[in-house]
Amino acid sequence: MKITVRKENPSGLACEAVLAFHFEDRKKPFGLAAILDRLSGGAISDLIAAGDFEGKLNQVAVVYPSRPVPAKRIVLVGLGKKKDLNLDKLRGAFAYGARQVRGLKVKRFAAAVESGFSGEPLAALTEAAVEGAVLGLYQFTPYKTIDRDKIRAVEEMIIAEDDPDKYRTIRDAAKTAEAVAAAVCFARDMVSAPGNEMTPTVMAQKAREVAADKAVKCKVLDREAMAKLGMNALLGVAQGSGQPPKLIILEYMGGKRGEAPVVLVGKGLTFDSGGICLKPAEKMDEMKTDMSGGAAVLGAVKAVSALKLPLNVVGLVPASENLPDGMAYKPGDILKSLSGQTIEVINTDAEGRLILADALTYSARYKPAAIVDLATLTGACIIALGDYVTGMMGTSDRLKEDVRKASEATGERVWELPLWEEYHEQIKSTIADFKNTGGRAAGTITAAAFLSKFVGDYPWVHLDIAGPAWLATDKPYIPKGASGVGVRLLVRLLRNRLKTT
Ligand code: BES
Ligand code: MN
Ligand code: ZN
């Protein structure tokens, strides 16, 4: 969907549909809704008076004004209680509105970003509106061949504002949000794609697409290059697969020359069968999403380069399959990682931490200002925090605080779990330096404790996105399936760095 911002009055725009909003605890319509109500001879207030529309959050009604309003339909969306409205709820409300428009088979609709929504700055409101509409309309359809003509898509959202200052603010913020939302959809598409089509090789091609922007450099290390370096933890995982593994490297150096970059590391397991420690068949199909962290990293670099952020950012995605065959790595095997430290494989299904170990070690060559990794790392994280929450662990309080702030701003929920010394005992091996599992207790934390051994002294945060990467049910602006979680969080984290450093 294209986003257009026009310098005109939203109530005067002739179009198939216009979005208008109403608070549950306000008797009368406000802003654009109030104007449309007047023009239509009270069509909206009649609806409210009849008790047919209360303005409950995400409630939707369509009004067909009998008196001429330039717009043919008014799509009315509830915002709930005025004091409860925040940016995340606004994203959801725009998503509901946009999907109603799509349901009406309308291709083009108008909307306004109104200061009456909440006390947030106009730019933030605009970003929320655009993100909500674009992300809420997302659908993954390339594999549907029957009745393709029935697939509906909205082509354009027109945001109208006649005040010249506000118009400029909205225009710029809409551009930003469009780039960020496109990067989220890019990540969602990669995660939604089936494992047979989203192989490590194809992920590397996707990274090269990101590097079509001249500001981004892409390097891909193949099996031989990784063997030369000694990335045997990553290569161990890849051993049982016919698909060659890749270490994908994206460098965006938009900041000062020589300034330490932020390194983003994303788990790129394009299919996780569990390996020799094979997973049960039920829901194994969902393990095509085990590259969600990698997709988020590629998406974040894509957004950062589109926004031309004056920052240095490196994306690292270790990409591999985890499959069992005669060559596959086995429980009991010992792998010598890139760091030189040895790892005893207890469970071949704890593969994510192995490929991440080598990627984290590799990140030291950038002498990073910060390292953030994202991974669908443990089922235990879903047990601990549920489906919608990212688990956070790390070594830097400052960086964790920055992630929390980004979480609040984006609505991508993050909750910290401790990484105390005691947990490190669980991953000590008798015959090697470490073992790759620490037992059932605190599985998310011991996984992070394992990763910490490969980070060095750089400020580091690990985000376990096993829960929110893939949703079983719809959320207001995340249709069920691939969420693209992490992209907005990372972009916000990086944008915030520009304010503080
Ligand atoms: N990719 C999985 C974790 C996962 C499970 C993500 C379910 C999303 C949904 C990971 O590689 C894995 O298999 N972890 C094991 C670790 C265990 C063997 C220590 C797990 O969580 O069971
Ligand atoms: Mn696994
Ligand atoms: Zn995995």
Side-chain angles (χ1 to χ4, degrees):
M1 179 177 66
K2 191 168 92 179
I3 311 290
T4 317
V5 183
R6 286 203 206 156
K7 203 194 295 175
E8 56 185 287
N9 192 308
S11 62
L13 211 94
C15 57
E16 287 290 308
V18 60
L19 287 194
F21 297 89
H22 183 63
F23 285 110
E24 183 183 352
D25 51 355
R26 294 291 136 105
K27 290 231 159 46
K28 288 193 179 144
F30 73 97
L32 176 58
I35 299 170
L36 294 172
D37 190 42
R38 223 174 302 127
L39 290 175
S40 64
I44 295 175
S45 37
D46 284 351
L47 186 80
I48 295 166
D52 295 352
F53 184 81
E54 297 148 286
K56 290 214 185 309
L57 185 63
N58 299 334
Q59 186 185 4
V60 182
V62 186
V63 180
Y64 295 85
S66 50
R67 288 227 221 137
V69 168
K72 195 160 151 193
R73 308 168 182 80
I74 304 168
V75 173
L76 204 55
V77 184
L79 292 178
K81 297 207 169 74
K82 169 102 183 162
K83 69 165 180 14
D84 293 340
L85 187 71
N86 56 26
L87 291 177
D88 212 46
K89 288 185 174 145
L90 191 63
R91 288 183 195 104
F94 267 83
Y96 271 89
R99 279 195 301 265
Q100 180 67 53
V101 167
R102 182 172 68 194
L104 295 167
K105 299 189 204 155
V106 167
K107 299 274 180 221
R108 205 163 274 107
F109 71 102
V113 180
E114 307 185 59
S115 46
F117 290 152
S118 80
E120 297 281 349
L122 191 59
L125 294 172
T126 305
E127 287 191 29
V130 172
E131 284 178 5
V134 175
L135 298 179
L137 285 171
Y138 176 80
Q139 34 189 359
F140 184 72
T141 58
Y143 294 90
K144 290 278 186 196
T145 68
I146 303 164
D147 288 342
R148 281 200 71 80
D149 52 322
K150 296 214 174 95
I151 298 171
R152 295 174 188 172
V154 180
E155 284 160 16
E156 188 178 11
M157 171 160 92
I158 303 158
I159 304 176
E161 173 59 62
D162 53 4
D163 177 274
D165 284 343
K166 288 184 178 172
Y167 163 77
R168 273 191 295 274
T169 303
I170 291 172
R171 182 196 58 195
D172 295 350
K175 272 265 161 304
T176 299
E178 212 180 348
V180 174
V184 175
C185 294
F186 174 75
R188 285 180 181 177
D189 281 347
M190 263 189 279
V191 175
S192 307
N196 58 331
E197 303 230 339
M198 192 47 61
T199 60
T201 305
V202 175
M203 271 199 101
Q205 277 163 15
K206 288 282 159 194
R208 289 197 187 94
E209 270 175 38
V210 173
D213 183 332
K214 284 281 173 294
V216 181
K217 262 202 342 221
C218 178
K219 285 189 271 186
V220 178
L221 304 190
D222 59 13
R223 195 179 254 140
E224 290 66 40
M226 290 190 275
K228 241 188 213 150
L229 290 172
M231 306 187 95
N232 301 310
L234 196 163
L235 292 174
V237 172
Q239 235 167 257
S241 160
Q243 290 293 339
K246 306 285 173 193
L247 180 69
I248 301 163
I249 304 163
L250 284 178
E251 297 174 350
Y252 168 78
M253 296 299 175
K256 289 195 199 87
R257 234 162 169 263
E259 192 172 79
V262 175
V263 176
L264 310 173
V265 184
K267 174 177 174 183
L269 234 297
T270 59
F271 186 71
D272 179 13
S273 73
I276 295 294
C277 306
L278 196 64
K279 287 179 182 294
E282 198 191 342
K283 291 204 184 170
M284 199 202 271
D285 58 298
E286 287 183 13
M287 282 300 118
K288 70 173 186 180
T289 69
D290 212 16
M291 34 59 75
S292 296
V297 167
L298 299 189
V301 175
K302 181 180 162 74
V304 163
S305 73
L307 300 181
K308 300 189 166 53
L309 295 190
L311 278 172
N312 296 332
V313 179
V314 174
L316 296 178
V317 179
S320 171
E321 287 187 324
N322 184 21
L323 289 177
D325 82 351
M327 291 299 289
Y329 81 136
K330 307 171 292 296
D333 286 1
I334 294 181
L335 307 173
K336 193 175 178 72
S337 69
L338 177 63
S339 72
Q341 302 176 109
T342 55
I343 305 161
E344 185 186 5
V345 176
I346 302 299
N347 190 320
T348 61
D349 198 10
E351 83 300 333
R353 63 198 76 184
L354 296 172
I355 66 168
L356 287 169
D358 280 347
L360 287 167
T361 302
Y362 190 89
S363 64
R365 65 170 61 199
Y366 293 98
K367 300 199 170 20
I371 305 172
V372 181
D373 81 72
L374 293 92
T376 46
L377 204 59
T378 65
C381 199
I382 308 175
I383 305 299
L385 297 173
D387 285 336
Y388 304 126
V389 182
T390 294
M392 170 169 72
M393 288 136 283
T395 52
S396 159
D397 288 336
R398 166 87 195 276
L399 190 56
K400 281 187 279 191
E401 192 49 39
D402 290 346
V403 172
R404 266 190 285 269
K405 285 203 184 108
S407 161
E408 244 153 66
T410 54
E412 296 199 338
R413 288 204 189 281
V414 166
W415 195 256
E416 186 181 3
L417 298 171
L419 195 51
W420 292 314
E421 271 306 309
E422 290 86 334
Y423 294 111
H424 293 251
E425 293 301 315
Q426 283 173 246
I427 52 157
K428 281 189 180 153
S429 160
T430 334
I431 60 166
D433 296 325
F434 306 112
K435 51 184 184 181
N436 78 331
T437 63
R440 274 169 63 81
T444 302
I445 298 172
T446 53
F450 179 90
L451 295 181
S452 74
K453 307 296 181 195
F454 302 89
V455 170
D457 282 333
Y458 303 100
W460 164 69
V461 157
H462 160 62
L463 300 170
D464 193 328
I465 56 170
W470 181 261
L471 301 190
T473 51
D474 290 334
K475 293 234 288 169
Y477 59 93
I478 313 175
K480 72 175 182 215
S483 65
V485 71
V487 175
R488 288 186 307 117
L489 185 80
L490 290 173
V491 172
R492 180 37 73 190
L493 179 76
L494 293 166
R495 288 172 73 190
N496 284 352
R497 285 180 83 82
L498 296 171
K499 294 183 196 160
T500 52
T501 55

